Amino acid sequence: MKGTVHVNSGSSSTDSGQDPQESNSLDRPDAAEPGIYCRGAGRQLLISTGKSPSPVDTEPPEPDDENSEDGESNTPTRGKVRGRSEDSRRRLRERLHAMRRGEPGVFTTLTLHETDPDPSTFKGWQESFWKRVRREYEGEHVSNLSCVWVLEPHTEGENRGKPHVHMIVWGVPYMDAQKLSRLWHEVTDETSDEHRKAGVDVESAVNQDGKLQSYLAKYMSKTFDGWPDVEPGDPWATPGRFWGFMGRDHLPVAEWEDTVVQLNQKQAMHLIDWLLDDWEVDIPAGVVPPTLIINCRGDPGERLLGLIDQIPER
């Protein structure tokens, strides 16, 4: 036999008595048994050997089927975030793939035209904007908005060094660009009519198979060591977090399924080793991490079928 479909007796959203919307777990499953676990409504698989990580175990980077996104805070000491590292990108990628891939949402970009605030002021404007968006849109037909945001500098032209932020707003299928521009304009120090009318860009797209998450991934494809053209002591030399969530309790997180492909430990280790070799991940010979996440392009069930073909006989 290869892998066996098995119902995991571990905890789940229904076992815990929590509503799936409220359990909202971005964590990995309690993969105590060797097998392949699936976040079916999202875009993730997890292979577990059933071994608990030890202090010397290191998890390698987790390449995905998109060769795209990643990141959160990203310096050796978390207090001073200066740039966006590969590790930072990887953490965001994993969280984006945890979201339900068909969840209604809107991709937006908040821009500035005239002003050049410090990081604290800019993020304060962003928080004020989010509060106004919730007041404007949450009501009889829309509730529980949430978003992920990614901060970036402009790197070219006359706007080089100015901040802008990309956001996916979940929980609403459509948002009016001019209305959002007005709300953003009202919380900034911008004064031009042009910014009031066009300070926010809205990308129209149906979130099929995680298309919105892929859009955000595109903007996270590059790393950088620091904010462009700043000197030590400039507030933008340490801008703080480059990404985060708002309305975190309402994020459209897909739950890990109870049904898993059951493996023995040897089969799970073979699969992980085969994937790391296929991805050309640089890892010491003979080292096999206890778990490995696979971030998929679309339906993880399709990727699962391909993995099953690689499982050696028991």
Side-chain angles (χ1 to χ4, degrees), residues 90-106:
R90 180 180 62 82
R91 286 194 297 274
L92 179 57
R93 180 183 65 224
E94 183 171 327
R95 284 155 177 79
L96 287 175
H97 281 76
M99 304 302 164
R100 292 193 293 271
R101 62 183 186 276
E103 185 71 13
V106 176

Side-chain angles (χ1 to χ4, degrees), residues 153-157 159-162 226-232 234 236-237:
H154 287 286
T155 57
E156 298 178 354
N159 287 326
R160 179 176 170 84
K162 279 191 176 182
W227 206 263
D229 304 334
V230 297
E231 299 293 333
D234 187 298
W236 284 105

